[in-house]
Amino acid sequence: MFKSIQKSGRIAAVAIGLIAALSPFAAPPVALASGSVPTPELEKSYSFKTSSDGSYISTGDASKFGYLYDYDYDDDEGYNLKSVSLVNFKDGSTNPIAIPDKSLGSACPTSNNQLYWQDGNNLVVFSPDNQSQTVHPISSAKYAYTDVTVSYDGNRAAVKHYDYESELKKIEIYDLKSDKLIQTYQSDKDDSYCYYSDDMSRLYFLPYDAEKGVVSLRVFNCDTGSTELKTVNVKKDDRSSDIDYIVTSSNSDDIYLQSDTILIKADRDGNMNVLFNDDDHAPEWPYSCPSAELYVLYTKKGSNDLFEEDDGDYYLNEKDANLSVYDLKSDKIISSIAYPFGEGYLSDISHDGSILLGKYSDDNKSSMCLIDAKNGAKSEFNSHWCDLSFMDEDRKILATYFDENDPTTLHVNIYKSNIPHSLPEDVLYFVQTHLPFVIGGGVAIILIIGGTIVVLCIRKKRAKAADGATAAVPKPQRKQRRRQKHAQQNVVPPAAPAMPTAPAAPTEPARFCRHCGTPLVPEAQFCPTCGQKVD
């Protein structure tokens, strides 16, 4: 029993240890003091030798990998891409990717950290986790040149075909699982740049011939092959109707259209709703995060005009404006502060819109900093002029900059942002980033618990079997053993012999029952204990 308790204790200790290993990652974030801003902590620092200061590192949504685009510089030809290497942010190692020289210019990373390029009539997709290449024979060579784009989820590809005047002629949509052509869109002469939904089920075009006061959106359904033209009325001026960008949301089917003064929300099929359209709001891009349902705006501060006119052209007065965070879900501005970066600029915003990441600069100094979006409080963490971005859902910050004394040395710093997250967010993040460990730990716990149950069941079964064997011994045998023991205890020990005074008469030898061993009197014919007849 004691050994069983010891073994159960060891099993419980292992299970508790596994749970304890997970608990630091799932612990709720420490709340920041009122009005304070988290101070980033340097976690890792790497340096990479490049060919020129035109090189840079591109990253996707996660911080596990990045891609180093190495450019050299020539006085006659300018910057030329020499190579693309995979960067492992865990240990700082680099691995050149085998891309043909003629295909280097088409090498493009996806949001999920894959890299793809066009090699003749093939689309090649590189996966960083196993560093493998997958070849998809999907491109035709009927036109002067082609351009390929892979969907956010990596399941589809769009091949755009251009003529020698760089005019878009058609777009082919392929399924990358089967490499089969799904749909073909024949370009309209009024089509402008093409935008894609994240899953590439829709194509969006902004027609060139839209009249003032109307925003038009042509929507091509890649599943059915149908095309629709959607419109919405806005103010009759160039700044409202001349849409500059279409931004997609990675966690919904919505898209957002914006100009200098307007923000329009549209569903997957292009049905549009004007969120605002006036001279008091100006959307900021590309530092808005529609994936988090947040948008950064410049808004009017006091009596200052948001736009300044110069010779008939309007310019955004950024430095005398407020920087505001707009919640697309509630259709409200959730924070607004005076522009906090001086001569610098905004780089990114946190998942909940509470923290702004950017570069502060004035006549005396420059620094990288985090800004509280509600009160303007600031924490500085790097004095270099860096390219900044949040990674891992703003849990980390990537800062890259060139050495002041050597423009061919690119430094990479990775910081813990220390921005608080909720417990469910942290648990979900841990599961996503440590999936093999979570699965292995879960399997180990299940095996331990299952093994314990099996061992206990076997022991219980054995104990029950032993009890049954004991109970099966015949009662007569037990009764006979008790009688033998009782007879042995009642045997009268022989008395010590006395000194004879005269010759003793011979005595009859002692008799015992041959069945149970009970002593018998000389004249007994039956045993007084077992009742058997005696000789």
Side-chain angles (χ1 to χ4, degrees):
M1 179 67 178
F2 180 69
K3 289 184 178 180
S4 177
I5 294 174
Q6 280 185 323
K7 186 171 184 179
S8 299
R10 289 195 298 269
I11 293 171
V14 172
I16 292 172
L18 288 171
I19 296 173
L22 297 175
S23 61
F25 298 94
V30 178
L32 295 173
S34 178
S36 64
V37 184
T39 300
E41 299 176 62
L42 181 62
E43 184 178 65
K44 297 175 183 177
S45 182
Y46 307 121
S47 296
F48 303 98
K49 201 67 179 175
T50 63
S51 300
S52 73
D53 58 2
S55 305
Y56 63 91
I57 288 181
S58 174
T59 61
D61 292 341
S63 66
K64 189 176 180 180
F65 298 105
Y67 293 100
L68 173 60
Y69 284 72
D70 186 24
Y71 284 84
D72 63 4
Y73 180 77
D74 182 86
D75 290 336
D76 296 328
E77 298 182 4
Y79 289 100
N80 295 298
L81 181 60
K82 288 183 57 179
S83 65
V84 180
S85 299
L86 178 68
V87 178
N88 188 330
F89 288 132
K90 183 177 181 180
D91 55 16
S93 61
T94 60
N95 184 28
I97 302 173
I99 304 175
D101 291 341
K102 63 180 181 179
S103 302
L104 278 173
S106 63
C108 182
T110 66
S111 297
N112 60 355
N113 264 343
Q114 290 183 321
L115 186 76
Y116 64 90
W117 61 88
Q118 186 179 350
D119 185 5
N121 290 335
N122 296 324
L123 170 68
V124 183
V125 179
F126 173 82
S127 298
D129 291 314
N130 54 15
Q131 299 190 28
S132 63
Q133 296 184 11
T134 305
V135 179
H136 302 275
I138 62 174
S139 299
S140 59
K142 296 180 180 180
Y143 293 89
Y145 63 95
T146 60
D147 180 38
V148 182
T149 304
V150 175
S151 64
Y152 183 91
D153 56 15
N155 293 329
R156 290 185 175 184
V159 182
K160 292 184 287 187
H161 298 275
Y162 297 87
D163 61 15
Y164 287 101
E165 284 75 35
S166 298
E167 182 178 341
L168 178 65
K169 304 304 292 183
K170 72 175 182 179
I171 300 176
E172 296 173 328
I173 306 298
Y174 286 86
D175 180 358
L176 293 184
K177 293 182 178 179
S178 63
D179 292 341
K180 292 183 178 180
L181 178 65
I182 300 173
Q183 292 291 343
T184 299
Y185 174 79
Q186 297 294 336
S187 178
D188 189 282
K189 63 179 181 179
D190 294 325
D191 286 342
S192 63
Y193 187 79
C194 177
Y195 298 85
Y196 310 94
S197 63
D198 286 335
D199 61 357
M200 212 165 273
S201 65
R202 302 291 187 275
L203 306 183
Y204 305 105
F205 302 88
L206 297 169
Y208 285 119
D209 61 349
E211 59 181 291
K212 288 185 178 181
V214 176
V215 171
S216 299
L217 184 67
R218 182 176 287 112
V219 182
F220 176 72
N221 189 321
C222 300
D223 298 323
T224 65
S226 62
T227 303
E228 290 186 274
L229 182 66
K230 304 287 186 176
T231 60
V232 66
N233 294 324
V234 295
K235 289 193 309 181
K236 291 187 177 182
D237 59 47
D238 293 335
R239 288 183 294 159
S240 296
S241 56
D242 188 12
I243 298 298
D244 300 313
Y245 304 106
I246 294 180
V247 185
T248 61
S249 172
S250 62
N251 65 350
S252 73
D253 295 330
D254 297 328
I255 63 171
Y256 298 91
L257 295 76
Q258 68 176 70
S259 69
D260 289 341
T261 61
I262 191 171
L263 183 63
I264 299 174
K265 180 178 180 178
D267 63 16
R268 178 198 292 261
D269 294 320
N271 300 303
M272 293 178 280
N273 176 39
V274 179
L275 300 180
F276 56 77
N277 178 20
D278 54 53
D279 291 339
D280 296 336
H281 301 82
E284 168 71 311
W285 191 89
Y287 308 116
S288 299
C289 295
S291 61
E293 304 301 335
L294 299 169
Y295 237 92
V296 176
L297 311 174
Y298 291 102
T299 55
K300 186 175 180 180
K301 182 175 69 175
S303 60
N304 297 328
D305 290 330
L306 192 58
F307 293 92
E308 295 178 346
E309 183 180 2
D310 184 11
D311 233 2
D313 294 326
Y314 287 86
Y315 300 92
L316 180 64
N317 186 12
E318 299 175 0
K319 302 304 179 287
D320 292 327
N322 283 330
L323 197 61
S324 305
V325 177
Y326 181 72
D327 185 350
L328 295 166
K329 292 181 180 177
S330 63
D331 192 22
K332 293 180 180 178
I333 292 178
I334 59 176
S335 65
S336 186
I337 56 174
Y339 188 78
F341 298 107
E343 298 297 322
Y345 51 89
L346 173 71
S347 295
D348 213 340
I349 62 174
S350 64
H351 69 293
D352 58 358
S354 64
I355 301 294
L356 308 176
L357 172 66
K359 310 171 182 66
Y360 176 82
S361 178
D362 58 22
D363 294 335
N364 299 319
K365 66 172 184 177
S366 63
S367 64
M368 308 302 103
C369 57
L370 294 180
I371 304 288
D372 189 307
K374 291 185 179 295
N375 57 36
K378 178 172 62 174
S379 68
E380 301 179 7
F381 63 93
N382 194 315
S383 60
H384 297 281
W385 191 256
C386 302
D387 289 327
L388 296 172
S389 62
F390 279 128
M391 299 190 303
D392 280 358
E393 298 177 355
D394 68 37
R395 289 176 173 83
K396 295 182 180 180
I397 299 171
L398 177 68
T400 63
Y401 61 96
F402 281 94
D403 194 289
E404 296 177 357
N405 300 318
D406 182 6
T408 61
T409 298
L410 178 63
H411 297 290
V412 174
N413 290 346
I414 298 176
Y415 296 85
K416 283 178 158 182
S417 70
N418 292 323
I419 295 176
H421 290 71
S422 66
L423 178 59
E425 289 174 329
D426 282 338
V427 171
L428 179 60
Y429 171 73
F430 176 81
V431 171
Q432 291 174 340
T433 55
H434 298 79
L435 190 58
F437 175 79
V438 172
I439 294 175
V443 170
I445 291 175
I446 292 173
L447 291 176
I448 290 171
I449 295 174
T452 304
I453 294 174
V454 170
V455 169
L456 293 177
C457 289
I458 293 174
R459 289 189 174 185
K460 185 176 181 181
K461 186 175 181 180
R462 287 178 177 175
K464 187 175 180 180
D467 290 342
T470 302
V473 177
K475 290 184 178 180
Q477 294 183 15
R478 293 201 303 270
K479 183 177 180 181
Q480 184 176 349
R481 284 198 298 270
R482 286 197 301 270
R483 286 175 177 174
Q484 290 175 351
K485 184 175 181 181
H486 181 70
Q488 292 171 0
Q489 291 175 346
N490 292 333
V491 172
V492 178
M499 295 297 295
T501 55
T507 60
E508 188 177 344
R511 300 174 62 208
F512 297 92
C513 176
R514 65 183 179 86
H515 299 286
C516 66
T518 301
L520 302 174
V521 296
E523 67 277 7
Q525 296 182 359
F526 296 92
C527 176
T529 300
C530 67
Q532 297 290 330
K533 183 177 177 64
V534 296
D535 295 333

